Amino acid sequence: MKLLSILSLLFLANITWAQKSMPTDSKATTETINLYRNLMQLQHEKLMFGHQDDLAYGHTWVFEEGRSDVKEVCGDYPAVYGWELGHIELGDAYSLDSVYFDKIQNWIKEVYDRGGVNTISWHLRNPYTGGTAWDTSSKQAVKSILPGGEKHELFCTYLDRLATFLEELKTDDGTYIPVLFRPYHEHTGSWFWWGKNLCTPDEYKALWRFTVGYLQNEKNIHHLLYSYSTDRVKTVDEYLERYPGDDIVDILAFDLYDRGPDYPEALRTCAAIVTDLAKNRNKVATMSETGASLSENPEWWTKTLLEAVKPFDLSYVLVWRNPWKRADHGAFGPYKNSPDATDFVKFFNDPKTVFQKEVSKLNLYKSK
Ligand code: BMA
């Protein structure tokens, strides 16, 4: 009885605390503040499920209104949706994954209307070399786009185009739709031009600070929650080495793919680091990208992923895309009759996980 009352007091304290928290942008819109507070609260109880490009295409289809591989397996859409803006900086009509940006805007609105959560990643081209996000041929890229650098003006045009896309994320009555923005991710590795061996910690932090300042002050954008997202790390120091600051980051995140037997342990290490930091710094914690070879591991959803993350207060886990172009890579989500489909239904039915129908009832954009 005593233990129960202590637990309920702790639970109430979490709710009160969460509902008083503020995102870092002092001009954040009401819906953005509400989303932040509700994410803060929900992470103590539930785990939302997310899927990249879920509404855009799937294992064997592309651009079919209403379709979703996840829904075809478990009867419900995800709660969280990842969208990718690579090539928006070029002024192109569609992304590096061949998805039209105006369609992405419509899906973001649809998700918002249903009470789901949208998150945006950005594999932007290398402004220094003109190559892809994976062009790591020069260590000058980040330095060159900071104020005073030779590519600074070009980089500002990239941010201008990004800002135009974000500015258009409005409902019919003009309410801005909050999104979780996750730029310059996996920077603890060195496969993107903003990665660890390609710039100094100070340059990386300056890139973040310039980006946030530009979007907020020059572009007047105040419907973003900023997500700092490393790749696999082993220590708190490694996680924080390039952290741009509590004053501009709302969400502490990590990406971690299952590439072998050390995955559950690595996942527990990352989840412990990120959730502890989030608790102490009053932030939201997420697993912003994951995925596995599901044909080799058909019970991955419950036996590996859920088992490892269950003890931690993570807001969501998002699995990467189910590409329709076979050459890209395998599907990281389930699809109809996929080898992991039965296990995914168990994952869906677990009381811990949250999908679209449940998230709709939570009113994440309303004040509690
Ligand atoms: C990667 C892969 C690529 C894709 C990129 C951006 O992880 O899925 O095929 O172009 O993300 O979405």
Side-chain angles (χ1 to χ4, degrees), residues 84 96-97 123 134 320-321 328-329:
E84 165 59 35
L96 77 168
D97 299 322
H123 290 75
W134 292 266
W320 206 241
R321 55 203 204 95
D328 289 354
H329 48 68

Side-chain angles (χ1 to χ4, degrees), residues 135-154:
D135 178 356
T136 54
S137 60
S138 169
K139 294 190 178 190
Q140 296 304 308
V142 172
K143 194 172 179 210
S144 78
I145 61 179
L146 294 174
E150 62 187 284
K151 296 291 178 185
H152 181 64
E153 272 173 39
L154 174 68

Side-chain angles (χ1 to χ4, degrees), residues 329-349:
H329 48 68
F332 288 122
Y335 53 87
K336 201 169 181 197
N337 299 324
S338 63
D340 56 299
T342 310
D343 191 56
F344 186 77
V345 175
K346 287 189 194 155
F347 175 85
F348 166 74
N349 283 326

